[in-house]
Amino acid sequence: MRIGFIGLGIMGKPMSKNLLKAGHELVVSAHSAAAADELVAAGARQADTAREIAEQVDVVITMLPNSPQVKEVALGPDGIVAGAHPGLVYVDMSSIAPLVAREVAEELAKHEIPMLDAPVSGGEPKAIEGTLSIMVGGDRGVFDQVEPLLRDLGTSVVHVGDIGAGNTAKLANQVVVALNIAAVAEALVLSQKAGVAPEAVFEAIRGGLAGSTVLEAKAPMMINHDFKPGFRINLHIKDLVNALDTSHEVGASLPLTAAVLEMMTALRADGHESDDHSGLVQYYEQLAKTVIGRSEP
Amino acid sequence: MRIGFIGLGIMGKPMSKNLLKAGHELVVSAHSAAAADELVAAGARQADTAREIAEQVDVVITMLPNSPQVKEVALGPDGIVAGAHPGLVYVDMSSIAPLVAREVAEELAKHEIPMLDAPVSGGEPKAIEGTLSIMVGGDRGVFDQVEPLLRDLGTSVVHVGDIGAGNTAKLANQVVVALNIAAVAEALVLSQKAGVAPEAVFEAIRGGLAGSTVLEAKAPMMINHDFKPGFRINLHIKDLVNALDTSHEVGASLPLTAAVLEMMTALRADGHESDDHSGLVQYYEQLAKTVIGRSEP
């Protein structure tokens, strides 16, 4: 298949490489010349604008930071919309606001470009392995058409509903992850302050109802104070802002998500924006004047 | 071993039966005559007071509702302390405040009765199967002495620290479970209000970083509005009150735990105290004027 890929960042670069490996013909564009050069060396062609890419492929994929960049690349003067041609499909794999995904899709529909929103979960390691979880919203027929291509990038590819549903599922995912991290942080700081070794508590509770992927992945990082990302606090802030914007629009109330966003924002202001999101525990440590893993005075 | 068992409730009855099955000599007492009769029919002897039980056994186990009952049974005029004799060990398997466990242990130490606090996780099904998780605090030598007996009741038996540490680990467990339930509730209500089927979101996120034992066990209960316990809201309220009392004593701050306690208290006031704790989702549903699993208007 002829695929265009726009956005060769931490996620986009390994994803586009996996598409090349799977035998697709690839045209890329990126802000980073170095990233584009790397893909060209691996066999891709390069183009300057989203329009030029759209004109020469069957499917355009974008992997961009947030809603404004997606709007610009899709609908801007030199955007995908300007390269419309029969058969073109647009798959946005960025994590953006579901409402923006719907707005962009509506506008593209006027030019007969069907769109899917297909954000991913799993981070850089799973992007490299091609084992991402992909949550897809949009027309079922269009999904069926591009599903094989998505399976070159991820192992779990689930059609969750209409356009925007992919990003809604992604926001639900990020809400659960944020609150599960906060849960581990509250439990470990409580244990630490009560004079019980967090390692022992981790060992005692991991096999029961408190068990989770977050507990397994993040409790050791908290205990070792190793906050090398992984997934950075400033990216999780973006997702929680989108989750709360969406909840306000649709009339849901997410008080714990709002509280964790405040904590992460405080940590960002304190210089921790590039810590792994498990660094949330530092918010609790500062308040309790403690450090996980050290003995209490 | 000659074992005394006090408290034949939902948990205590199956636990004491497992001790009988394992070949121990058992003396029981219970508020419920029916429960005591059932154990006597199965081969146990019965006694009227904790003192009488303590006098004739090597290990006394209690499984009681909360801190005040443990204090009374351990230290009251006809309590375990009154039946002190060389070799007697006391194992409290109730879920109580860690501070109370330490207070009771200090008092019993004056009478040379060593004490372990050994609360459990897993609920009635695992009590019946003998597959509980048991978190134990107290002297390591005493732990080694009674560990085989605890292994007749549970599959995970972990010594987490000094006396009180068992209950601290249990509170940490209950904090994680409460917040992981709230996480699933926020995510599913957001999805529901945004018009995306909660079942599809559950399917899309369960395999990734959002995966948890709570998600697997409780998301289907929320989606089906099946709140048959399981673990009742009023019991989780008790545990969260103990967690917050403890956090206040030791100087930790647990804002999300406090928020979930408020939600559960509101549900209790609304008649939901005997719902499974996954019924927490009803707090969110009421605010968002929705019901998970129904189509949005």
Side-chain angles (χ1 to χ4, degrees), chain B residues 90 233 284:
Chain B
Y90 173 39
I233 281 177
Y284 290 94

Side-chain angles (χ1 to χ4, degrees), chain B residues 10-11 14-15 18 121-132 153 229-231:
Chain B
I10 292 176
M11 298 296 287
M15 288 165 72
N18 283 333
S121 163
E124 190 183 7
K126 300 208 165 183
I128 293 170
E129 289 170 8
T131 58
L132 292 164
L153 301 171
F231 189 77

Side-chain angles (χ1 to χ4, degrees), chain A residues 6-284:
Chain A
I6 300 169
L8 302 177
I10 291 177
M11 298 295 289
K13 199 167 72 174
M15 290 165 70
S16 56
K17 283 185 181 170
N18 283 332
L19 291 172
L20 273 179
K21 275 185 214 151
H24 299 288
E25 192 180 317
L26 201 67
V27 190
V28 302
S29 97
H31 266 123
S32 151
D37 288 350
E38 203 178 319
L39 264 292
V40 168
R45 277 179 295 129
Q46 194 178 349
D48 287 334
T49 66
R51 178 183 53 72
E52 284 173 55
I53 290 186
E55 282 168 353
Q56 53 187 311
V57 301
D58 308 303
V59 178
V60 183
I61 296 174
T62 51
M63 194 63 180
L64 297 164
N66 205 350
S67 308
Q69 293 82 8
V70 169
K71 264 189 168 167
E72 174 64 24
V73 166
L75 307 178
D78 256 331
I80 293 165
V81 67
H85 61 84
L88 179 64
V89 170
Y90 172 40
V91 182
D92 177 36
M93 302 190 75
S94 323
S95 290
I96 66 170
L99 192 75
V100 173
R102 280 196 291 272
E103 284 171 9
V104 171
E106 262 175 44
E107 197 55 38
L108 290 176
K110 294 176 190 165
H111 303 265
E112 289 171 15
I113 305 174
M115 170 176 168
L116 302 176
D117 67 321
V120 309
S121 164
E124 188 183 8
K126 300 209 165 181
I128 293 170
E129 289 170 8
T131 58
L132 292 164
S133 292
I134 307 177
M135 298 153 255
V136 191
D139 182 77
R140 179 85 212 191
V142 179
F143 171 79
D144 291 341
Q145 189 185 330
V146 303
E147 190 187 353
L149 153 64
L150 296 176
R151 296 221 169 261
D152 293 329
L153 301 172
T155 36
S156 164
V157 180
V158 179
H159 182 255
V160 283
D162 296 336
I163 182 74
N167 275 292
T168 301
K170 175 67 190 282
L171 294 180
N173 186 79
Q174 295 304 79
V175 162
V176 170
V177 170
L179 298 190
N180 285 11
I181 288 173
V184 175
E186 295 208 354
L188 293 188
V189 169
L190 173 64
S191 304
Q192 169 80 18
K193 291 293 288 186
V196 182
E199 299 88 327
V201 171
F202 171 50
E203 203 52 53
I205 71 175
R206 64 198 289 197
L209 190 51
S212 70
T213 309
V214 161
L215 183 68
E216 292 298 316
K218 304 300 182 183
M221 294 178 76
M222 293 184 195
I223 290 167
N224 299 321
H225 257 242
D226 165 19
F227 302 128
K228 190 170 153 285
F231 189 77
R232 293 197 304 277
I233 282 177
N234 58 358
L235 282 171
H236 214 143
I237 287 176
K238 180 200 87 171
D239 289 334
L240 296 187
V241 166
N242 281 336
L244 289 165
D245 282 354
T246 303
S247 78
H248 300 159
E249 275 155 22
V250 300
S253 168
L254 310 182
L256 302 196
T257 301
V260 173
L261 173 59
E262 288 307 299
M263 295 176 194
M264 288 186 174
T265 306
L267 285 172
R268 181 176 64 184
D270 202 28
H272 294 287
E273 70 273 16
S274 293
D275 287 359
D276 182 72
H277 48 177
S278 58
L280 181 72
V281 73
Q282 296 167 104
Y283 178 90
Y284 289 95

Side-chain angles (χ1 to χ4, degrees), chain A residues 172 252-254, chain B residues 181-202 215 218-227 278-297:
Chain A
S253 168
L254 310 182
Chain B
I181 288 173
V184 175
E186 294 206 357
L188 293 188
V189 168
L190 173 65
S191 304
Q192 169 80 18
K193 290 293 288 188
V196 182
E199 298 89 328
V201 171
F202 171 50
L215 182 68
K218 305 300 182 183
M221 294 178 76
M222 293 183 194
I223 290 167
N224 298 321
H225 257 242
D226 165 20
F227 301 127
S278 59
L280 181 72
V281 73
Q282 296 166 104
Y283 177 90
Y284 290 94
E285 288 179 329
Q286 284 181 28
L287 284 171
K289 300 194 178 13
T290 190
V291 176
I292 295 276
R294 304 234 177 109
S295 55
E296 288 299 302

Side-chain angles (χ1 to χ4, degrees), chain B residues 79-101:
Chain B
I80 293 164
V81 67
H85 62 83
L88 179 64
V89 170
Y90 173 39
V91 182
D92 177 36
M93 302 189 74
S94 324
S95 290
I96 68 171
L99 191 75
V100 173

Side-chain angles (χ1 to χ4, degrees), chain B residues 34-104:
Chain B
D37 289 351
E38 204 177 319
L39 264 292
V40 168
R45 277 180 296 129
Q46 194 177 349
D48 287 334
T49 66
R51 177 182 56 73
E52 285 173 55
I53 290 185
E55 282 167 351
Q56 54 186 309
V57 300
D58 308 303
V59 178
V60 184
I61 296 174
T62 51
M63 194 62 180
L64 296 165
N66 204 349
S67 307
Q69 293 81 10
V70 169
K71 265 189 167 169
E72 174 65 24
V73 166
L75 306 178
D78 257 332
I80 293 164
V81 67
H85 62 83
L88 179 64
V89 170
Y90 173 39
V91 182
D92 177 36
M93 302 189 74
S94 324
S95 290
I96 68 171
L99 191 75
V100 173
R102 279 197 292 271
E103 283 170 10
V104 171

